[in-house]
Amino acid sequence: QLQLVESGGGLVQPGGSLRLSCAASGFTLDYWVIGWFRQAPGKEREGVSCISRSGGSTNYADSVKGRFTISRDNAKNTVYLQMNSLKPEDTAIYYCAATRRLSTVQAMCDRGGDYWGQGTQVTVSS
């Protein structure tokens, strides 16, 4: 059974940092484009950052450029999202997703994946 499990969310003050992890089970991530998405209450889902199969290509939403970094460790079957300089507007449920159908990071961030995790809550508040 293909499964993605996010972890690392929590409550953090503005300006703080969190690192989210997306661990895969039931399949290996090597051949999958992976993305992080978020959805805040009353807002549409947003593609935050996506990474290619090799990790050589990445994509970021304008709202997180320079603050968030996506990476992957295929040996650990895990993708990470390092989030620095967090702002209250970063508050959302964060999901990771995987696709083999889409080949580019831009397409992944625009359209979403085929498999999704259950999400992890990130709250930025003082």
Side-chain angles (χ1 to χ4, degrees), residues 22-116:
C22 172
S25 62
F27 68 110
T28 56
L29 286 178
D30 301 46
Y31 304 107
W32 298 73
V33 176
I34 307 297
W36 284 97
F37 299 79
R38 67 186 181 186
Q39 189 163 23
K43 294 188 177 181
E44 292 188 355
R45 186 186 69 198
E46 175 186 22
V48 175
S49 182
C50 298
I51 189 167
S52 62
R53 296 178 180 92
S54 68
S57 180
T58 58
N59 184 72
Y60 295 93
D62 288 342
S63 58
V64 307
K65 281 181 181 175
R67 300 188 298 122
F68 290 11
T69 303
I70 192 170
S71 62
R72 64 191 300 160
D73 186 339
N74 287 345
K76 294 184 178 180
N77 224 25
T78 301
V79 173
Y80 305 97
L81 185 67
Q82 178 67 43
M83 306 187 297
N84 298 329
S85 302
L86 283 161
K87 304 176 181 180
E89 50 264 43
D90 294 318
T91 295
I93 300 175
Y94 284 70
Y95 303 88
C96 67
T99 184
R100 292 186 68 170
R101 170 177 52 89
L102 302 172
S103 61
T104 71
V105 291
Q106 183 66 60
M108 174 59 160
C109 274
D110 287 344
R111 303 180 198 177
D114 302 310
Y115 295 95
W116 293 82

Side-chain angles (χ1 to χ4, degrees), residues 11-22:
L11 173 64
V12 64
Q13 292 186 342
S17 298
L18 286 173
R19 188 177 80 155
L20 305 184
S21 298
C22 172

